[in-house]
């Protein structure tokens, strides 16, 4: 038999899941924004340091050496930070779809 209390509890449960999901998505987006900000700040500081170093170079071979070092360092930093940010996006997607998995599992017990 259908009870109003069951319907209310069902709605309350889903509302709580949505609120929890929205909160975790918000934290995930904040972590991604923070990672982008940190990467941008580090990139700016590295570029500033490179320009200062390059301005003090007296010979062409030292300038090429400084440019090569900067390019290698920038590439390594870019790859590392890109992987970190990609991991944050992956975690965000898993977190965002967790409530959907819970709801589907209730309707399909064999999926567990």
């Amino acid at each position: 038999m259908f009870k109003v209390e069951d319907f209310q509890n069902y709605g309350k449960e889903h509302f709580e899941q949505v609120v929890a999901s929205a909160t975790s998505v918000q934290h995930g987006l904040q972590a991604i924004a923070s990672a982008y900000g940190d990467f941008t700040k580090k990139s700016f500081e590295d570029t500033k340091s490179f320009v200062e170093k390059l301005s003090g170079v007296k010979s062409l071979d030292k300038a090429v050496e400084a440019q090569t070092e900067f390019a290698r360092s920038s590439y390594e930093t870019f790859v590392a930070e890109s992987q970190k940010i990609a991991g944050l996006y992956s975690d965000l997607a898993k977190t965002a779809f967790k409530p959907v998995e819970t709801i589907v599992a209730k309707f399909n017990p064999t999926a567990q």
Side-chain angles (χ1 to χ4, degrees):
M1 172 153 213
F2 178 73
K3 296 180 184 176
V4 174
E5 292 85 20
D6 293 340
F7 183 71
Q8 288 174 335
N9 289 336
Y10 181 77
K12 181 181 177 186
E13 179 181 325
H14 286 291
F15 177 74
E16 290 171 354
Q17 287 179 346
V18 168
V19 169
S21 176
T23 302
S24 27
V25 166
Q26 178 185 8
H27 290 299
L29 290 173
Q30 287 175 343
I32 290 168
S34 177
Y36 273 119
D38 293 344
F39 173 60
T40 302
K41 183 179 178 182
K42 181 172 178 14
S43 178
F44 178 76
E45 290 171 355
D46 290 349
T47 302
K48 179 182 170 190
S49 174
F50 166 68
V51 170
E52 289 172 355
K53 184 177 180 180
L54 192 60
S55 67
V57 171
K58 304 286 185 203
S59 65
L60 181 60
D61 61 331
K62 293 292 183 184
V64 170
E65 182 181 320
Q67 171 61 33
T68 304
E69 169 68 22
F70 174 71
R72 182 191 55 76
S73 173
S74 295
Y75 175 75
E76 289 173 354
T77 302
F78 172 75
V79 169
E81 292 296 321
S82 295
Q83 290 174 344
K84 176 183 169 186
I85 291 170
L88 291 172
Y89 274 112
S90 174
D91 293 344
L92 176 63
K94 289 176 187 174
T95 302
F97 287 107
K98 195 68 167 172
V100 175
E101 291 175 0
T102 305
I103 292 168
V104 169
K106 285 183 179 181
F107 289 112
N108 188 6
T110 58
Q112 294 178 342

